[in-house]
Amino acid sequence: MRAVVFKGVGQIAVEDRPVPKIIQPTDAILKVKCSAICGSDLHWYRGHMSLPTGFIPGHEFVGVVNEVGNDVKDIYVGDTVVASFSAQCGNCFYCKKRMTSCCPSNFLFGNSADSRSIDGGQAEYVRVPYADATLVRAPTSIPENMLVLMGDIFPTGYFAASRFLKHVPEQERRQTSVAVVGCGPVGICAIATALHWCDTVFAIDMVPERLAEAERLGAKPLLLTADPAATIMAATGNRGVDVALEIVGTPDALYLCLDLVRPFGSISSVGVQTAPLKLDGPSIYGKNITIAWGKCPVRGIFDEALDCLVKVQNKVAFLCSRTMKMEDSVEAYKLFNERKAHKIILTL
Amino acid sequence: MRAVVFKGVGQIAVEDRPVPKIIQPTDAILKVKCSAICGSDLHWYRGHMSLPTGFIPGHEFVGVVNEVGNDVKDIYVGDTVVASFSAQCGNCFYCKKRMTSCCPSNFLFGNSADSRSIDGGQAEYVRVPYADATLVRAPTSIPENMLVLMGDIFPTGYFAASRFLKHVPEQERRQTSVAVVGCGPVGICAIATALHWCDTVFAIDMVPERLAEAERLGAKPLLLTADPAATIMAATGNRGVDVALEIVGTPDALYLCLDLVRPFGSISSVGVQTAPLKLDGPSIYGKNITIAWGKCPVRGIFDEALDCLVKVQNKVAFLCSRTMKMEDSVEAYKLFNERKAHKIILTL
């Protein structure tokens, strides 16, 4: 089969690889229909994350089930399915509580960091462990070309926005103010979710094009370099926002959220934090701040995220507008790395 | 009137002071019945917090209303009342949302840190600003000698324990495991609250006498120096507890909570954090941790905390067993500072 392969920093190639086989009886093999390049793929492409070469990337993919192991019960050959960005067992303490991102038996697609990393979906075929607990049959409520968003970025944006907002009593939700730090594709999905519930969403980024997209959704765009805290304080009676979303993954983005949020406010941080965080004890205590960190449990929240995507699909459809052939992946990665496309979907 | 007065590090005196007068029409003057010495009074007594001398301490007190200003509507002369540890306006954004600890117009009793500090209740009389929003008439559901607990430590312990536990679905609550780091009087109140809901509560401290008290309540005592994390991991299938409570106010206590809590777990931190906190970004992201910091909004949660105290009063009654005369406060502070009493109630 043809597959994208990581060859070294800034280098991928499209090569011939053996078609994957069923290894465990809970596996399925998919014939891939499409896969997406995600912002987190740039971590290894740019060398910010140093990974052994040779793996097949891609943790957002949609395909048709081609083969299933003997223990697969709920997924059938011929089903069109989407996978979550990591495979999870479905049976452990965390999976049963829908905290699937913390399943200790999970496998991350499209990575080679450790023994829990497996080849991904930027290929003609992909092996999916724990098929019953990892794959979801294509719902009819969204167009198939948007389904790839449900593998990672839409649920992640939804998770960022919903963690605190869904606990705000319904009659107070529209008046709840939100700041979103980071307006890449996940930020856009978070903004669309937040605007579905709240009237006032501030969008902060340093890329004007991203801010323009956020503004088209209905958010108030604030350039990072133009003192967004001052604007937000002026707009909120000098209090700050009720909820801030950190979608960048740097300490500075989290510190900005701490400045933007009001006393007794909440911060939801889904950016991949890779550095130490230094927090000021007295001010975080004095402000009664709550911070929730972490990776989205895509499979655990799939149904509620999908319900939301159905409602906001027109707003985020533009994320799926750029399609290229998988054979042209070298060019696709180059364009994506140069930020000439916010999302590229590779088709076969 | 007679009053306790802060004279310098390690020194208080009982002196004559003028009886306070109504200053604002929303004030009330109480004739004090009793006031308590709180662990946080040791901050200035020991000099850990450097405060100007001359103020009257005491932020936990019960009294009878002696006089009210013209704008006081709900509190009457002759009422027996308890105050929250700080006075709040009752009308602002935060007060209306029951986040009374963040009222920007608040006054802290028994302190001299800044212009928002006022004389406290370790005296014959005390002036209470915003009487309607600060005082609560003595409920009949608990004995009057326990009412002083409702000024600070019981609501604070309740707040620590309830912040996350009250959102756990009822059918899962008994199986939820909790670790409490710090078993002073607030810790005891948190343990009593947690045990009211959950079967498994680990109590961690370095003082064996405190652990013995926690054990009598039904908690599992773990000496800080005897690797509590190892015991907790072994007892929880190597996962960690669902919820950890930080009731000390040091970075190390918070870091211990991070070690004790399971992935997707929550930490409630009510200890007064006075130093920088250094968190490991990758592990706090990877573990999907949520931390809520901050000061208890005593008045905002008074009713629910009282409901809980009514139910657990027999367990925490021992905190009110040590009574001394206010005239003997020099000795009382000395005993309290030497940890020869966990709580001392000064009577008039």
Side-chain angles (χ1 to χ4, degrees), chain B:
Chain B
M1 69 170 186
R2 301 291 284 166
V4 178
V5 177
F6 175 54
K7 307 300 282 183
V9 173
Q11 287 181 293
I12 58 110
V14 183
E15 297 182 345
D16 286 328
R17 283 294 183 99
V19 173
K21 290 180 170 39
I22 297 282
I23 298 175
Q24 298 292 330
T26 47
D27 289 350
I29 305 295
L30 306 192
K31 173 94 175 74
V32 175
K33 293 181 94 168
C34 66
S35 64
I37 308 178
C38 179
S40 57
D41 288 321
L42 295 179
H43 293 163
W44 50 262
Y45 185 80
R46 291 179 176 170
H48 299 164
M49 176 190 282
S50 174
L51 293 185
T53 59
F55 69 91
I56 301 172
H59 55 268
E60 301 178 289
F61 51 89
V62 171
V64 176
V65 179
N66 198 57
E67 193 184 352
V68 293
N70 288 332
D71 291 349
V72 175
K73 303 270 182 275
D74 299 327
I75 295 291
Y76 303 98
V77 170
D79 283 350
T80 297
V81 291
V82 60
S84 47
F85 66 73
S86 61
Q88 52 276 318
C89 77
N91 291 315
C92 71
F93 175 89
Y94 298 101
C95 284
K96 284 180 180 159
K97 286 187 179 288
R98 299 177 176 273
M99 300 163 178
T100 48
S101 51
C102 289
C103 169
S105 309
N106 69 353
F107 292 100
L108 178 59
F109 290 107
N111 204 283
S112 62
D114 55 32
S115 64
R116 306 226 66 81
S117 307
I118 54 173
D119 280 340
Q122 292 175 7
E124 283 183 83
Y125 294 87
V126 59
R127 181 177 75 88
V128 177
Y130 314 121
D132 283 333
T134 303
L135 297 172
V136 181
R137 255 184 299 281
T140 53
S141 47
I142 53 167
E144 200 181 292
N145 75 338
M146 289 183 67
L147 194 55
V148 75
L149 297 183
M150 285 300 298
D152 180 350
I153 68 166
F154 192 82
T156 297
Y158 172 84
F159 178 63
S162 69
R163 264 201 282 196
F164 293 106
L165 291 178
K166 71 182 177 186
H167 299 298
V168 175
E170 228 167 294
Q171 66 276 19
E172 295 172 26
R173 223 180 265 161
R174 288 243 70 85
Q175 282 70 52
T176 301
S177 56
V178 179
V180 180
V181 178
C183 300
V186 173
I188 289 292
C189 295
I191 289 167
T193 301
L195 280 167
H196 176 57
W197 283 325
C198 312
D199 289 334
T200 306
V201 176
F202 298 96
I204 299 160
D205 205 293
M206 55 188 181
V207 181
E209 292 75 15
R210 289 177 165 186
L211 289 178
E213 289 165 0
E215 190 173 17
R216 276 196 292 275
L217 265 59
K220 298 178 196 313
L222 298 175
L223 201 56
L224 180 65
T225 49
D227 197 356
T231 308
I232 285 175
M233 288 302 151
T236 57
N238 215 30
R239 276 201 304 270
V241 292
D242 301 306
V243 178
L245 313 183
E246 187 286 301
I247 314 197
V248 178
T250 60
D252 282 346
L254 188 75
Y255 304 156
L256 177 58
C257 288
L258 283 164
D259 288 342
L260 300 180
V261 80
R262 66 160 166 79
F264 256 102
S266 305
I267 298 172
S268 173
S269 171
V270 300
V272 183
Q273 294 289 343
T274 58
L277 298 169
K278 290 177 195 162
L279 305 180
D280 181 57
S283 76
I284 207 162
Y285 169 82
K287 269 183 86 166
N288 272 79
I289 296 299
T290 298
I291 309 181
W293 282 271
K295 194 187 281 189
C296 175
V298 171
R299 193 62 181 82
I301 64 161
F302 193 93
D303 292 346
E304 55 185 285
L306 179 65
D307 280 351
C308 185
L309 178 57
V310 168
K311 287 166 188 149
V312 305
Q313 57 183 299
N314 292 338
K315 287 193 164 185
V316 299
F318 76 93
L319 293 173
C320 306
S321 59
R322 185 69 184 259
T323 302
M324 293 177 72
K325 286 281 168 196
M326 189 189 72
E327 277 297 326
D328 301 327
S329 288
V330 171
E331 176 66 11
Y333 268 84
K334 191 165 167 290
L335 287 171
F336 190 68
N337 182 46
E338 292 165 357
R339 288 201 172 141
K340 292 187 177 151
H342 29 51
K343 193 84 188 158
I344 296 178
I345 297 178
L346 304 172
T347 58
L348 281 110

